[in-house]
Amino acid sequence: MEILKLMLNRMQLLKDKMREVPENIIAFTTEEEVDEEVALRNMRTSGTKPSKLSYQGSSGPISYFLNGNLCQSVSSTGGQRNISESENTVMNITAPASAINSISSSLGRAGQSLLSIPLNIFGGLAARMERTLRGSTHDIGWLQCTDPVTPVQDGTNRFMELLAMTRNGEHILPDRLVYFLVPGLFSNHFPLYFVDTKNFLSKLGLTCHIAKIHSEASVKTNAYELKKQIENLYLYYGKKVLVFGHSKGGVDAAAAMAMHWPDLKNKVAGLALVQSPYGGTPIASDILGEGQIAEIEKRTILELLMCRFIKGDMSALEDLTYSKRKEFLSQYALPVDLPLISFHTEASTDPQALATLYHIAHVEFPSVIAPSSFLSSNQTVKIPIMAPLATAMAACASYLELRYGEKSDGLVTRKDAEVPGSVVVKPNRKLDHAWMVNPSLAINVTEPDAPQLCEALLALLVEIGQGTSKP
């Protein structure tokens, strides 16, 4: 702002200076335009005395000034003026007066236009710059700053015990529940989202379903859809539903509980929010935050991608900004009697993570184009589709750590994924946002895989619902 004020002061000085008669110029003044000063900049003093000067102008007395002193004043009746120089004045004029007059007038108008710009325009630009530079600095972790803050319990140790049991083949999940997996944003475009976890639980003889929702719909829209699906599962199986939501799926599921709890209270056994931006995410806020530079351009590009190509709703992204999450949670709070887990991790940013690929889908080819020596006539061959999601998560995690100093899984910071009043699980293992739901090409057999982690989280949630958990 100080720089803008300095620029305005300089322009005002320039404007005032243009109204003066500076040194080493000739000024022409007529009766019709008393205040017009014509500056002839290309003038120098020489030893050669020109005999006459010519000036094309209107009729009236013309005064010649040199170094601020009147040299001669003559009258003319218009047209071409031939004036003899005084014996004591030596001048050489190299620029046409009409050209100088045009330039001077243009400069004057430009300066006047700039000076006439309201100061609030510059103030608005400065405010947008400040808002853009600040980003989400004051919003990250706002849930922990609310008054009063509902304390959390650390369930990490018990989770690790249950995970070890799962690794040793001890499966303790009861079959009296329906396990309901809610996928996150863009899951419609990743066919293998939650597939491994569903197959793993189904092989244990458990009833498991993946929610069928439009992942790019708004939070309230999906909340209502999940409410209906939970009611249908309860009616069909006669069992309570244990809900496991990942990323935005956790936000959608939490909204369903908050908005429709009277209808779901006796049908839901608990809710696990896994890497969910319950408080919002700086990625969404930095892109869609109001009052930032290039706000309209960024929104236009996202609307093109979301609405035209993905056939989604911009609200799906907007609902994950801090402003929208604050607005929603001020109206709809999670029920206090809901067994609740919040699970959050941080992504690795080392070179190995940058080179990791995830299996996100596959393409099936009929046997007619597959090698006949390997396939019979009724077989198909599956070609995996790999994506460098880990690279994107590592890059985003580095951005959030460098800009805000916050640890994250690449999309959600640890603070924003921690729900007040919940049992918090925060393992030390480096896991990015996509690891939980997509198989990795780089499988480490010495570490638990995603389905095993999901089973341990669900087992902990069952214990919390029964009141037998030992955090």
Side-chain angles (χ1 to χ4, degrees), residues 303-323:
E303 286 179 349
L304 180 65
L305 293 175
M306 285 291 293
C307 303
R308 296 288 297 276
F309 292 97
I310 301 179
K311 306 299 181 183
D313 188 345
M314 275 294 293
S315 297
L317 290 175
E318 292 174 339
D319 286 347
L320 302 182
T321 62
Y322 288 111
S323 59

Side-chain angles (χ1 to χ4, degrees), residues 230 240-241 243 257 261 264-271 338:
I230 291 172
K240 282 192 173 184
V241 180
V243 184
M257 306 300 138
W261 187 238
L264 298 177
K265 182 177 182 179
N266 298 321
K267 303 177 180 69
V268 173
L271 172 63
L338 172 68

Side-chain angles (χ1 to χ4, degrees), residues 15 27 71 107 113 131 136 138 184 187 210 248 294 303 335 363 394 443 455-456 461 469:
K15 177 185 175 183
C71 297
L107 289 174
S113 299
R131 177 68 182 87
S136 303
H138 302 320
S187 59
I210 300 177
K248 181 179 177 289
E303 286 179 349
V363 178
I443 298 178
E455 182 187 4
L461 187 56
S469 174

Side-chain angles (χ1 to χ4, degrees), residues 25 29 52 72 90 101 151 169 176 184 207 230 243 254 277 305 338 351 368 435 440 450 452 459:
I25 71 167
T29 304
K52 293 184 178 181
Q72 188 173 3
V90 179
N101 181 41
R176 57 181 173 82
T207 305
I230 291 172
V243 184
L305 293 175
L338 172 68
V368 293
W435 184 87
S440 172
Q452 291 172 338

Side-chain angles (χ1 to χ4, degrees), residues 159-160 163 246 274-275 343-350 353 356 358 389-390 393-394 397 407-414 417 425-438 440 442 444 447-454 457:
F159 165 77
M160 297 304 296
L163 183 59
H246 176 257
V274 179
Q275 298 173 313
F343 176 89
H344 55 79
T345 63
E346 67 179 78
S348 174
T349 57
D350 61 27
T356 302
Y358 286 143
L389 295 180
M393 296 299 104
K407 300 294 185 180
S408 72
D409 59 21
L411 294 180
V412 183
T413 68
R414 282 187 177 272
V425 177
K426 41 188 176 181
N428 293 325
R429 183 180 174 188
K430 303 288 186 180
L431 300 174
D432 64 44
H433 195 79
W435 184 87
M436 289 290 293
V437 293
N438 287 296
S440 172
N444 186 351
E447 295 282 358
D449 57 21
Q452 291 172 338
L453 260 71
C454 291
L457 280 173

Side-chain angles (χ1 to χ4, degrees), residues 24-35:
N24 294 327
I25 71 167
I26 298 177
F28 298 88
T29 304
T30 66
E31 290 181 345
E32 292 86 353
E33 299 176 353
V34 177
D35 294 329

